[in-house]
């Protein structure tokens, strides 16, 4: 009896020690929080009231909040009153506007896309128009960030625009009614190549309506003809809502299959998300295109498809964002977007690339993101950390330096504007390539466009440096000769890159005629990743071997 009492006493003692240790640890945390809030508040008050120059109390505090959050991952951010509409756009997928996308072209704020069916299109705004004024506010590249807030507003209200149109001398005035514009998650969907059974879907975001949009798209395509294969393009898709990613994946993966799990700081916070419905596309072959711009929700979709061997992942390694954010409403119409968990693919992979806790004293413990091997359903080896590695890596074609230079200077954009002054867009599309290139050469001559290569710039720097240093001055003549040869070669590059220039002109013309759909379809004609996907889908043996299917 005494032995039993002694054992019970020891057990209770150990329990009390463990419990008391836990309480002390918790109370230490609460004490540290209270202590440092008190210090922070006193510092804030002292500076606000006593600093030699007056400070803006709100901006001063906001700077402190931003500084504090900067020590964490870049996805944990404070959202002030001015940026609440960005949250509404992400969560609701709609806003009040006129249906235009703007960008800087030819050192002007230009309309680069017009959405179908909204007031901008209905009242005659055109791609290529330069925006000069919104509601009496002059618009320049310096204040382009203000244009969105000036144009957006409550549906049913009006916005006044002044634009300059190439070929028209005077400014044109517009008064357009704002409408409720639903954010399109699918930029283009259709059977491509033409007359094939392959459905190509370009998914650009994961806002609230994306799942329903994809469902309607697939049903519409099914009504047109039998879907034999799907190319789901997630390239440069930065992600969005986690539950929407689950819904999108469930369109291809079977009911009950695990899609993703999330785990927070608390070990009890594990959540698992599985397919709740039968897939819309069950047996058709599937290829998912990804690149370094595919992140977050895009990686959830790609990871689940890969782990269950449902389809082939093709392209380049994805971004590597395995962190989940929660939006917490705060007072005064502000919010905090805070990272609350990591997500894991069905095989158990966390694909987060950057370890923000490493060498950072703010974190109480360092996270381990070591590269580890996992197995798919068909026993293929896949790896954690650093994004989703495609099953077949296909590099995208990088634009030549001269094409990038033309884009930066808006040359092709201006050239199409120049052609539109003389001809209808559809007539431009019918121009023979030789005539188009001939007119382009004349145009760049009239614009005094001179291409200076990076190599030429470096030789220029070396020439300047050799002239400054006496021991190298005798080399300046040689550098002058090299520079002259490079200048001649640069001029010849225009003809060397004739096909690339004509391709970009064709894409821009297609964009003017059919918007983003025209641009995408025209781009696919020479897209190496898409063309490789189509060739794999046509070869049943290669497709099955990549997935180890029998």
């Amino acid at each position: 009896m005494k032995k039993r009492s002694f054992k019970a006493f020891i057990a209770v003692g150990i329990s009390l020690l463990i419990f008391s240790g836990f309480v002390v640890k918790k109370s230490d945390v609460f004490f540290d929080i209270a202590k440092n809030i008190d210090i922070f508040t006193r510092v804030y008050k002292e500076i606000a009231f006593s600093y030699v120059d007056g400070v803006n109390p709100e901006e001063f505090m906001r700077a402190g909040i931003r500084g504090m959050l900067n020590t964490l991952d870049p996805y944990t951010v404070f959202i002030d009153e001015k940026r609440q509409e960005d949250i509404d756009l992400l969560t609701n997928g709609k806003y009040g506007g006129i249906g235009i996308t703007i960008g800087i072209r030819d050192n002007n704020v230009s309309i680069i896309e017009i959405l179908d069916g909204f007031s901008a299109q209905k009242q005659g705004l055109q791609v290529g128009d330069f925006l000069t004024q919104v509601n009496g506010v002059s618009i320049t590249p310096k204040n382009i960030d203000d244009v969105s807030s000036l144009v957006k507003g409550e549906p049913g209200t009006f916005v006044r625009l002044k634009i300059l149109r190439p070929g028209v001398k005077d400014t044109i005035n517009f008064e357009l009614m704002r409408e409720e514009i639903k954010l399109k998650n699918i930029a283009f969907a259709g059977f491509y190549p033409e007359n094939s059974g392959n459905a190509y879907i370009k998914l650009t975001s994961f806002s609230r309506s994306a799942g329903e949009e994809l469902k309607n798209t697939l049903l519409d395509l099914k009504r047109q003809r039998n879907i034999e294969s799907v190319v789901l393009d997630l390239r440069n898709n930065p992600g969005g809502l986690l539950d929407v990613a689950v819904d999108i994946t469930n369109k291809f993966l079977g009911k009950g299959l695990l899609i993703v799990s999330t785990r927070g700081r608390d070990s009890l916070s594990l959540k698992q998300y599985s397919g709740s419905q039968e897939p819309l596309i069950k047996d058709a072959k599937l290829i998912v295109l990804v690149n370094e711009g595919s992140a977050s929700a895009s990686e959830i979709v790609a990871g689940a498809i890969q782990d269950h061997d449902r389809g082939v992942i093709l392209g380049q390694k994805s971004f590597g964002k395995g962190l989940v954010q929660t939006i917490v409403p705060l007072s005064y119409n502000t919010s905090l977007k805070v990272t609350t968990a990591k997500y894991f693919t069905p095989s158990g992979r966390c694909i987060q690339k950057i370890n923000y806790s490493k060498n950072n004293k703010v974190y109480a413990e360092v996270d381990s993101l070591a590269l580890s091997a996992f197995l798919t359903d068909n026993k293929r080896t896949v790896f954690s950390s650093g994004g989703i590695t495609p099953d077949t890596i296909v590099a995208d074609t990088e634009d030549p330096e001269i094409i990038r230079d033309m884009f930066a200077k808006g040359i092709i954009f201006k050239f199409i504007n120049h052609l539109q002054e003389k001809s209808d867009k559809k007539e431009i599309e019918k121009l023979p390539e030789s005539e188009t290139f001939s007119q382009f050469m004349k145009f760049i001559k009239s614009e005094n466009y001179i291409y200076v290569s990076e190599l030429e710039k470096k030789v220029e720097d070396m020439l300047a440096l050799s002239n400054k240093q006496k021991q190298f001055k005798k080399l300046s003549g040689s550098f002058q000769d090299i520079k002259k040869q490079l200048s001649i070669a640069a001029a010849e590059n225009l003809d060397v890159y004739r096909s690339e220039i004509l391709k970009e002109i064709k894409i821009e013309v297609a964009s003017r005629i059919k918007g983003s759909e025209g641009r995408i379809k025209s781009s696919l004609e020479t897209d190496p990743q898409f063309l490789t996907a189509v060739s794999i889908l046509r070869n049943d043996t290669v497709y099955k071997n990549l997935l180890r299917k029998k």
Side-chain angles (χ1 to χ4, degrees):
M1 186 74 180
K2 285 182 180 179
K3 285 183 180 179
R4 280 184 186 174
S5 299
F6 181 72
K7 285 180 180 178
F9 175 76
I10 292 293
V12 170
I14 291 170
S15 298
L16 285 170
L17 280 170
I18 293 170
F19 181 72
S20 62
F22 175 75
V23 171
V24 169
K25 191 175 180 182
K26 277 281 189 185
S27 63
D28 281 351
V29 171
F30 290 132
F31 174 73
D32 283 345
I33 291 170
K35 179 182 79 172
N36 286 288
I37 284 175
D38 181 52
I39 294 169
F40 186 89
T41 304
R42 294 193 66 176
V43 169
Y44 173 70
K45 283 182 178 179
E46 285 299 322
I47 297 294
F49 288 124
S50 307
Y51 188 68
V52 61
D53 295 315
V55 296
N56 181 319
E58 183 172 292
E59 285 303 317
F60 185 48
M61 175 57 81
R62 300 287 170 93
I65 293 170
R66 286 192 293 269
M68 178 170 59
L69 297 183
N70 280 343
T71 63
L72 304 173
D73 66 81
Y75 313 110
T76 297
V77 293
F78 173 72
I79 301 158
D80 64 20
E81 310 89 329
K82 297 172 186 175
R83 291 180 54 215
Q84 283 302 313
E85 65 176 29
D86 295 340
I87 298 299
D88 295 338
L89 183 59
L90 174 65
T91 54
N92 301 321
K94 55 190 178 183
Y95 64 94
I98 58 174
I100 60 171
T101 302
I102 60 166
I104 297 174
R105 299 287 188 277
D106 191 21
N107 204 32
N108 289 288
V109 177
S110 307
I111 296 174
I112 59 174
E113 185 181 359
I114 294 178
L115 301 181
D116 292 337
F118 297 104
S119 53
Q121 185 206 42
K122 288 184 281 191
Q123 290 185 230
L125 282 173
Q126 296 180 9
V127 171
D129 287 343
F130 299 136
L131 200 57
T132 62
Q133 203 176 91
V134 179
N135 286 337
V137 178
S138 293
I139 302 301
T140 68
K142 289 183 179 178
N143 66 347
I144 189 172
D145 292 338
D146 299 331
V147 176
S148 178
S149 58
L150 289 168
V151 172
K152 289 178 183 176
E154 199 65 34
T157 59
F158 288 84
V159 58
R160 299 186 313 279
L161 306 182
K162 277 190 179 180
I163 64 105
L164 277 174
R165 180 166 293 164
V168 180
K169 289 183 179 179
D170 298 324
T171 57
I172 307 173
N173 296 312
F174 287 87
E175 187 168 4
L176 301 103
M177 187 177 76
R178 297 182 179 100
E179 302 173 71
E180 183 178 274
I181 295 175
K182 289 186 178 178
L183 183 71
K184 284 185 70 175
N185 296 277
I186 297 175
F188 170 67
F191 286 99
Y192 198 87
E194 303 287 353
N195 304 317
S196 73
N198 178 67
Y200 171 82
I201 300 167
K202 175 68 175 173
L203 188 70
T204 55
S205 57
F206 288 81
S207 76
R208 181 61 59 201
S209 58
E212 190 67 18
E213 203 173 322
L214 180 60
K215 174 187 170 183
N216 293 334
T217 295
L218 291 171
L219 290 174
D220 182 54
L221 290 170
K222 275 183 165 184
R223 282 190 287 267
Q224 293 177 42
R225 70 184 77 146
N226 180 46
I227 299 175
E228 296 171 3
S229 60
V230 175
V231 174
L232 179 63
D233 192 346
L234 298 180
R235 291 176 297 180
N236 299 313
N237 183 326
L241 303 174
L242 182 143
D243 57 332
V244 174
V246 172
D247 190 15
I248 294 288
T249 311
N250 192 197
K251 301 294 184 280
F252 304 98
L253 272 185
K255 184 178 181 180
L257 285 177
L258 179 63
I259 292 171
V260 67
S261 57
T262 63
R263 212 175 301 152
R265 189 201 305 188
D266 185 351
S267 59
L268 299 175
S269 65
L270 175 68
K271 291 182 182 178
Q272 293 186 320
Y273 301 83
S274 300
S276 58
Q277 300 173 342
E278 291 300 328
L280 278 173
I281 302 295
K282 189 174 183 180
D283 301 316
K285 294 177 184 176
L286 174 64
I287 289 186
V288 180
L289 302 182
V290 296
N291 65 4
E292 62 279 358
S294 308
S296 186
S298 292
E299 294 173 295
I300 289 174
V301 175
I305 296 294
Q306 188 176 52
D307 282 1
H308 289 301
D309 302 296
R310 172 62 185 87
V312 173
I313 312 302
L314 186 149
Q316 293 166 296
K317 187 177 274 196
S318 65
F319 182 80
K321 180 181 180 287
L323 306 175
V324 181
Q325 284 73 47
T326 302
I327 296 171
V328 181
L330 304 176
S331 52
Y332 300 101
N333 199 31
T334 62
S335 303
L336 178 67
K337 188 169 73 156
V338 56
T339 298
T340 52
K342 295 182 181 73
Y343 76 75
F344 299 82
T345 69
S347 66
R349 292 182 286 164
C350 177
I351 53 86
Q352 174 63 24
K353 183 188 292 182
I354 301 172
N355 188 349
Y356 295 103
S357 65
K358 194 175 181 181
N359 301 322
N360 188 334
K361 292 181 180 178
V362 168
Y363 288 81
E365 53 191 58
V366 178
D367 190 14
S368 173
L369 291 174
L371 184 71
S372 302
F374 295 80
L375 293 176
T376 70
D377 291 357
N378 289 348
K379 308 302 178 189
R380 295 186 299 133
T381 303
V382 288
F383 296 94
S384 65
S385 304
I388 301 290
T389 301
D391 302 311
T392 179
I393 295 174
V394 179
D396 199 5
T397 305
E398 189 175 347
D399 286 327
E401 192 182 300
I402 189 169
I403 297 293
R404 296 199 300 272
D405 188 66
M406 286 179 177
F407 279 138
K409 293 171 181 171
I411 294 297
I412 291 172
F413 188 85
K414 284 195 283 184
F415 173 61
I416 304 303
N417 282 352
H418 166 72
L419 290 182
Q420 281 185 202
E421 292 174 21
K422 302 174 181 179
S423 310
D424 180 75
K425 285 176 281 192
K426 292 189 177 178
E427 285 187 23
I428 298 169
E429 191 180 31
K430 293 174 186 175
L431 277 176
E433 287 189 349
S434 56
E435 176 65 19
T436 301
F437 194 70
S438 174
Q439 288 202 40
F440 180 73
M441 294 296 284
K442 287 177 187 174
F443 173 75
I444 60 172
K445 192 174 182 181
S446 69
E447 287 285 310
N448 296 316
Y449 171 71
I450 298 171
Y451 167 59
V452 180
S453 69
E454 287 300 315
L455 186 56
E456 201 174 339
K457 289 174 188 173
K458 286 179 180 176
V459 171
E460 181 69 49
D461 291 340
M462 291 170 74
L463 176 62
L465 199 59
S466 68
N467 285 330
K468 283 181 183 177
Q469 299 185 32
K470 194 180 279 188
Q471 70 269 38
F472 298 124
K473 208 160 189 177
K474 61 184 178 182
L475 296 174
S476 63
S478 300
F479 285 130
Q480 287 279 16
D481 290 339
I482 294 170
K483 186 185 171 189
K484 188 177 179 181
Q485 291 300 315
L486 286 171
S487 184
I488 294 167
E492 290 173 350
N493 268 344
L494 288 168
D495 197 56
V496 170
Y497 291 109
R498 183 178 187 271
S499 61
E500 286 86 348
I501 292 169
L502 285 169
K503 182 190 85 170
E504 298 303 335
I505 290 171
K506 185 179 179 182
I507 291 171
E508 184 62 35
V509 172
S511 174
R512 301 288 179 103
I513 296 171
K514 293 185 179 178
S516 60
E517 178 182 332
R519 177 178 289 278
I520 290 167
K521 286 180 79 171
S522 184
S523 300
L524 290 177
E525 291 177 13
T526 54
D527 184 334
Q529 293 173 338
F530 173 74
L531 295 175
T532 303
V534 171
S535 68
I536 290 171
L537 291 169
R538 286 173 175 167
N539 191 323
D540 199 50
T541 304
V542 172
Y543 180 80
K544 285 182 176 178
N545 284 344
L546 284 167
L547 297 174
R548 288 194 187 168
K549 285 191 174 184
K550 294 178 182 178

